[in-house]
C-alpha cells in the first residue's frame, strides 16, 4: 500500500465518520465538531492523493489553506448561531420539526 | 464581466462600514449598474461570441483565476440581476430605519449576489467551491437575521445542509485533482472519457449528491420550508428565486460539460434526478395544498417547482431540454420572488401569516392580490407566461424522445399548482365572515405593492419575449 493510498483511505474514513456525525448527532456542539472532522478528511485526501513520486504538490496545499479558512468561518457562524439559540431557548439541540 | 463580481463586493462592504440598516441607495445604484452589465454581456454573447473569458489580474490559468461566460452563465447572470434589483427596491421600503431584522440585510445581500455572480462565471472546480460557500454562508446569515428562536433553528438546519452539500462537492474536487492533477473545468472536460477510473465516477456521484442536497431536491428538501418560510419576505424571495438555482445551474453545467462522457456511458443515471424531481412535484404540491400558513405554502411550492428543473436530465441528448430548464428557472425565479414579496405585503397588512387571514384582501390590496394571481398563472403554466413556455418546451422534448409519462407528470403538476394557488385566491376573494369583526388592515407603502406587481408581470410577459432568451441559451449548446 503506497502512502498516497493510505492517506486517501484514512481521509475517506474520517469523512464518513464526520458525515455520520453531522447527520445523526443531536447535540449542536458535537455536530459542529463532526463537521470539522469531515472537513479534515477531505483535506487529507486532497494533500495525500496529490503527492506524487515523493514530492509535495503546492496547488492542493493552497486549496487546503483556502478550505481551512472557509471551514473556520463556517464553524464561527455555526457557533454564533448555537450560542444565540442557547440564549433564546436554553437548549443545545435543534427543536423538533414544526407540525 | 469582472464588474459583476466586484461591484456588489464594493457596495456590500461600504454598506457594512456605514452601519446597521444603511446603504440601501448604494445597493440600488450598484444593482442598476450590474443589471446593465448583465444585459450588455448577454447582448455580446447573443451577437455571436460563443464565450467570453477573462483572466483576473492578468494571471493565466494554472496560477491565476480564470473567468468565463457563455450563453448559460450569462442567462443566469441576467436572471440574478433582474430579480435582485426589484427585490432591493422592495426591501428598501420593507425594512424600517431601525428594524433589527434588517440591520445587516444590505451587506449580506451584496455578498450573496457577488457569490452568485462569481459562481456563474467561474471556470474551475475549486473556485466554484469557494463561491458555493460564499453563497451558502451569506444565505444562512440572511435567514438568521430574523433573530427569533425559530429563525435561528432554521438557519442552523440550513447551515448544516449547505455545509454537508459543499463538503461532498469538495471531496469530489479532491478526487478529481487526485485523478487528473488539475481543477480547470476545460482541461478536465478534455481528460474525462467513458473509461475513466472509478475515482472519477465516485467524484461525479459525490458532486451531484452534494448539489442535489443544496438544491433541496426531494428527499433533501427538509431544510428548505423552515428556512424559506420563516425569514422576512425579501430574504425568502432571494433564497427561493436565486440561491437554489445556483446549485442547479452547477449540476446542469457539470452534467453537460466535463462529465458528459460518463453520462453517455450510463444513460440510466439521468433517470435518478428525474424520478426524484417527479416525487418532489407531487410531495411539494401536496404539502402546499395542506399547510395552513401562507409562506409555508409558497415554500412548499418551491420544492415542487424545483422538481421540474430535474425532469430535463433524461432529455438532455435531444434539443430543447436545456432551454426548457433555464426557462423554468427564469419563470420560477420571477414568479416566486413576486409571490414571496406579495405574501410579505399581506403579512404586513394583516399582521398574520395564515391563508385564512387573507379573507377580504381583495378589497384592500387589489394590486398585491393581482400580482399574486399573475405569479400563480406562471406557476400553473398558463399561456402566455414564461412558465407556459418552459412546460411547453419540456413536453415537446419529452414527446420527441417518446417519454410520454414525463408529459403526465408536467400536466398533473400544473393542476396541483392550480389547486394551491386558487386556495389562496378563493380565501382572498371571500369576504370575512359576518360574525367575526373585520381585522384592521395596516396601510403599506405603495412601493411594496408595485414591486410585487412588476415582478409578477415580468414573469408573465417574459413568455412573449422568450425567443431572445432561447437564442441566448443556444450559445451553450455549442460550447457544451
Amino acid at each position: 500500500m503506497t502512502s498516497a493510498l493510505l492517506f486517501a483511505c484514512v481521509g475517506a474514513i474520517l469523512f464518513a465518520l464526520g458525515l455520520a456525525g453531522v447527520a445523526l448527532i443531536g447535540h449542536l456542539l458535537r455536530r459542529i465538531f463532526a463537521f470539522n472532522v469531515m472537513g479534515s478528511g477531505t483535506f487529507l485526501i486532497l494533500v495525500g492523493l496529490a503527492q506524487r513520486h515523493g514530492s509535495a504538490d503546492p496547488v492542493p496545499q493552497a486549496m487546503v489553506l483556502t478550505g481551512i479558512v472557509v471551514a473556520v468561518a463556517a464553524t464561527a457562524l455555526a457557533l454564533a448561531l448555537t450560542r444565540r439559540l442557547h440564549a433564546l431557548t436554553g437548549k443545545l439541540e435543534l427543536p423538533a420539526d414544526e407540525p | 464581466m469582472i464588474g459583476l463580481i466586484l461591484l456588489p463586493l464594493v457596495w456590500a462592504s461600504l454598506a457594512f462600514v456605514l452601519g446597521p440598516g444603511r446603504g440601501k441607495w448604494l445597493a440600488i445604484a450598484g444593482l442598476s449598474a450590474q443589471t446593465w452589465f448583465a444585459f450588455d454581456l448577454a447582448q455580446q454573447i447573443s451577437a455571436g461570441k460563443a464565450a467570453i473569458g477573462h483572466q483576473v489580474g492578468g494571471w493565466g490559468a494554472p496560477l491565476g483565476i480564470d473567468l468565463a461566460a457563455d450563453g448559460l452563465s450569462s442567462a443566469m447572470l441576467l436572471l440574478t440581476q433582474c430579480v435582485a434589483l426589484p427585490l432591493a427596491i422592495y426591501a428598501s421600503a420593507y425594512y424600517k430605519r431601525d428594524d433589527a431584522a434588517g440591520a445587516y440585510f444590505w451587506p449580506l445581500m451584496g455578498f450573496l449576489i457577488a457569490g452568485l455572480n462569481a459562481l456563474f462565471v467561474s471556470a474551475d472546480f475549486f473556485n466554484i467551491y469557494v463561491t458555493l460557500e460564499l453563497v451558502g454562508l451569506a444565505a444562512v446569515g440572511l435567514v438568521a437575521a430574523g433573530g427569533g428562536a425559530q429563525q435561528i433553528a432554521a438557519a442552523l438546519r440550513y447551515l448544516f445542509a449547505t455545509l454537508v452539500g459543499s463538503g461532498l462537492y469538495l471531496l469530489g474536487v479532491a478526487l478529481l485533482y487526485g485523478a487528473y492533477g488539475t481543477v480547470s473545468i476545460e482541461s478536465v472536460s478534455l481528460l474525462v472519457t467513458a473509461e475513466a477510473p472509478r475515482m472519477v465516477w465516485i467524484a461525479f456521484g459525490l458532486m451531484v449528491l452534494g448539489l442535489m442536497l443544496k438544491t433541496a431536491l426531494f428527499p433533501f428538501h427538509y431544510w428548505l420550508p423552515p428556512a424559506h418560510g420563516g425569514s422576512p419576505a425579501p430574504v425568502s424571495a432571494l433564497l427561493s428565486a436565486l440561491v437554489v438555482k445556483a446549485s442547479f445551474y452547477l449540476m446542469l453545467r457539470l452534467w453537460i460539460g466535463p462529465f458528459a462522457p460518463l453520462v453517455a456511458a450510463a444513460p440510466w443515471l439521468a433517470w435518478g434526478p428525474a424520478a426524484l424531481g417527479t416525487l418532489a412535484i407531487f410531495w411539494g404540491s401536496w404539502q402546499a395544498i395542506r399547510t395552513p400558513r401562507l409562506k409555508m405554502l409558497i415554500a412548499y411550492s418551491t420544492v415542487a417547482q424545483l422538481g421540474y428543473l430535474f425532469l430535463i436530465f433524461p432529455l438532455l441528448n435531444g434539443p430543447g431540454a436545456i432551454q426548457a430548464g433555464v426557462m423554468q428557472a427564469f419563470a420560477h425565479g420571477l414568479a416566486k420572488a413576486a409571490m414571496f414579496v406579495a405574501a410579505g405585503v399581506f403579512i404586513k397588512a394583516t399582521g398574520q401569516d395564515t391563508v385564512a387571514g387573507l379573507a377580504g384582501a381583495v378589497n384592500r390590496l387589489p394590486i398585491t392580490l393581482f400580482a399574486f394571481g399573475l405569479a400563480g398563472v406562471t406557476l400553473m403554466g398558463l399561456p402566455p407566461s414564461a412558465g407556459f413556455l418552459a412546460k411547453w418546451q419540456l413536453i415537446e422534448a419529452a414527446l420527441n424522445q417518446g417519454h410520454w409519462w414525463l408529459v403526465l407528470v408536467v400536466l398533473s403538476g400544473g393542476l396541483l399548482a392550480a389547486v394551491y394557488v386558487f386556495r389562496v385566491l378563493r380565501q382572498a376573494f371571500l369576504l370575512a365572515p359576518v360574525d367575526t369583526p373585520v381585522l384592521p388592515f395596516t396601510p403599506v407603502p405603495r412601493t411594496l405593492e408595485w414591486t410585487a406587481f412588476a415582478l409578477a408581470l415580468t414573469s408573465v410577459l417574459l413568455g412573449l419575449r422568450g425567443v431572445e432568451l432561447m437564442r441566448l441559451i443556444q450559445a451553450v449548446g455549442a460550447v457544451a
Side-chain angles (χ1 to χ4, degrees), chain B residues 183-208:
Chain B
V183 284
S184 149
I185 293 186
E186 208 187 337
S187 333
V188 171
S189 311
L190 295 175
L191 290 167
V192 176
T193 56
E195 294 88 37
R198 188 159 297 160
M199 203 148 81
V200 179
W201 285 88
I202 298 175
F204 176 50
L206 287 169
M207 284 175 158
V208 165

Side-chain angles (χ1 to χ4, degrees), chain B residues 212-434:
Chain B
M212 290 201 299
L213 176 63
K214 281 173 97 79
T215 320
L217 178 63
F218 183 90
F220 304 118
H221 67 284
Y222 64 94
W223 57 265
L224 187 142
H228 288 196
S231 341
V235 175
S236 320
L238 270 176
L239 297 182
S240 252
L242 302 178
V243 174
V244 281
K245 302 294 177 344
S247 36
F248 163 72
Y249 155 85
L250 192 51
M251 184 165 159
L252 181 62
R253 163 124 302 183
L254 296 182
W255 201 277
I256 60 176
F259 294 116
L262 300 189
V263 180
W268 51 269
L269 274 180
W271 292 101
L276 293 179
T278 306
L279 290 173
I281 292 174
F282 289 120
W283 174 255
S285 305
W286 172 242
Q287 290 295 325
I289 291 169
R290 286 186 28 179
T291 178
R293 289 178 50 206
L294 178 60
K295 287 186 75 180
M296 278 309 218
L297 183 151
I298 307 176
Y300 274 116
S301 147
T302 298
V303 174
Q305 296 287 321
L306 289 173
Y308 290 108
L309 295 176
F310 290 91
L311 292 185
I312 67 168
F313 283 94
L315 308 173
L316 284 171
N317 289 325
I322 300 177
Q323 279 83 343
V326 177
M327 190 49 100
Q328 167 69 12
F330 264 75
H332 175 250
L334 290 162
K336 197 45 66 76
M339 267 198 174
F340 265 121
V341 296
V345 176
F346 290 139
I347 290 167
K348 257 202 184 306
T350 61
Q352 50 180 331
D353 174 20
T354 53
V355 177
L358 284 178
V362 64
N363 295 326
R364 318 293 185 85
L365 298 164
I367 300 167
T368 311
L369 196 65
F370 192 33
F372 194 93
L374 281 180
V377 164
T378 306
L379 290 192
M380 287 183 259
L382 301 182
S385 68
F388 167 72
L389 216 58
K391 291 193 175 112
W392 182 264
Q393 286 262 332
L394 190 57
I395 289 176
E396 200 178 81
L399 284 181
N400 271 341
Q401 303 188 29
H403 301 309
W404 54 270
W405 66 271
L406 281 178
V407 179
L408 285 185
V409 172
V410 173
L411 291 179
S412 42
L415 283 178
L416 288 169
V419 175
Y420 60 73
V421 170
F422 278 115
R423 203 185 134 210
V424 175
L425 294 182
R426 176 172 162 269
Q427 191 66 38
F429 276 97
L430 286 178
L431 287 177
V434 194

Side-chain angles (χ1 to χ4, degrees), chain B residues 417-464:
Chain B
V419 175
Y420 60 73
V421 170
F422 278 115
R423 203 185 134 210
V424 175
L425 294 182
R426 176 172 162 269
Q427 191 66 38
F429 276 97
L430 286 178
L431 287 177
V434 194
D435 48 333
T436 53
V438 181
L439 287 169
F441 274 39
T442 329
V444 286
R446 281 285 165 78
T447 326
L448 297 184
E449 294 205 73
W450 284 106
T451 38
F453 184 72
L455 276 167
L457 195 66
T458 321
S459 77
V460 172
L461 292 185
L462 182 65
L464 301 176

